[in-house]
Amino acid sequence: EAGVTQSPTHLIKTRGQQVTLRCSPISGHTSVYWYQQALGLGLQFLLWYDEGEERNRGNFPPRFSGRQFPNYSSELNVNALELEDSALYLCASSLVLYEQYFGPGTRLTVT
Amino acid sequence: GESVGLHLPTLSVQEGDNSIINCAYSNSASDYFIWYKQESGKGPQFIIDIRSNMDKRQGQRVTVLLNKTVKHLSLQIAATQPGDSAVYFCAERGNYGQNFVFGPGTRLSVLP
């Protein structure tokens, strides 16, 4: 069974630009979660989607947004990038309310 | 607000010894807990979970203990191996239907 996949693996952007990260969940999983992990730090919850709806949102500014598609894949969009947005962005999927399975992450560097 | 923390940010153990990684949580309503392992450059990997109606659960070489009285969670790794070197995160689900809250992580280093 294929795991959670994310693309791209690495990304370099400059301040002020916009970025879109993508996530494909494990087949059959309806929930997708996004987390930000700054270097050497823990996971900060960004967004939770289930059945195409945003279920919960972490303490991040509105320039962080996303969506979930009918096939349950998801995108995370970050507008007006700032240096402190440099981090590993992790996507996880689950059957709703059960254990989450993580993808390998997208390493975003903002210069 | 909800918070999950760890007593020790780093832990070094000799190969073959047992490891104990601790985690404190603040939300007494949390009903589900997970331990994750994250190796360098990879996403977190599910290790073991426990529901609030249990106080102990065992897996292969790992045991999770839950003490709801003092809101404490621990992960025990038996016969620690070099491949166990990683950062370990605990996570709690604060309330049914809510997202997980992750602790800051403990780095486990296995010494030869």
Side-chain angles (χ1 to χ4, degrees):
Chain A
E1 178 182 288
V4 177
T5 59
Q6 292 186 243
S7 63
T9 305
H10 295 88
L11 203 53
I12 299 175
K13 292 284 189 179
T14 57
R15 287 178 60 188
Q17 286 188 312
Q18 178 266 344
V19 67
T20 298
L21 311 181
R22 295 177 174 82
C23 172
S24 291
I26 291 172
S27 178
H29 285 187
T30 61
S31 279
V32 170
Y33 306 79
W34 287 96
Y35 294 87
Q36 181 194 68
Q37 187 177 32
L39 189 63
L41 298 180
L43 282 73
Q44 300 298 315
F45 169 72
L46 271 165
L47 291 159
W48 169 23
Y49 291 96
D50 183 65
E51 296 284 0
E53 300 288 331
E54 183 179 301
R55 299 298 185 185
N56 205 351
R57 181 183 180 86
N59 188 25
F60 280 84
R63 58 190 184 83
F64 287 83
S65 65
R67 55 179 173 169
Q68 186 179 34
F69 298 98
N71 66 353
Y72 303 117
S73 66
S74 177
E75 285 183 351
L76 174 69
N77 298 292
V78 187
N79 295 321
L81 284 166
E82 300 179 1
L83 295 177
E84 52 266 35
D85 296 334
S86 295
L88 180 68
Y89 288 85
L90 291 160
C91 170
S93 76
S94 76
L95 294 171
V96 65
L97 304 176
Y98 286 86
E99 65 267 22
Q100 300 176 12
Y101 294 87
F102 284 83
T106 294
R107 173 71 62 187
L108 172 64
T109 301
V110 182
T111 62
Chain B
E2 297 175 5
S3 68
V4 178
L6 293 170
H7 297 309
L8 297 173
T10 60
L11 178 65
S12 296
V13 297
Q14 291 292 137
E15 182 177 353
D17 287 352
N18 296 335
S19 302
I20 300 176
I21 301 172
N22 297 303
C23 179
Y25 64 95
S26 60
N27 187 351
S28 58
S30 292
D31 66 344
Y32 182 47
F33 305 85
I34 301 178
W35 280 101
Y36 285 93
K37 171 186 179 182
Q38 187 175 25
E39 297 175 280
S40 181
K42 299 182 180 179
Q45 177 186 5
F46 173 89
I47 301 174
I48 192 168
D49 59 358
I50 189 168
R51 301 191 185 279
S52 59
N53 61 351
M54 304 172 67
D55 54 20
K56 181 179 180 179
R57 189 155 190 241
Q58 288 184 295
Q60 186 177 15
R61 281 201 309 119
V62 295
T63 301
V64 56
L65 299 176
L66 175 63
N67 185 331
K68 293 182 288 294
T69 302
V70 295
K71 291 182 284 189
H72 183 268
L73 189 72
S74 68
L75 176 70
Q76 300 178 1
I77 304 173
T80 311
Q81 302 170 359
D84 295 327
S85 293
V87 176
Y88 290 81
F89 294 96
C90 62
E92 66 172 319
R93 187 173 69 195
N95 293 286
Y96 188 81
Q98 297 300 309
N99 53 279
F100 283 88
V101 175
F102 284 77
T106 291
R107 180 172 299 281
L108 176 64
S109 295
V110 182
L111 307 174

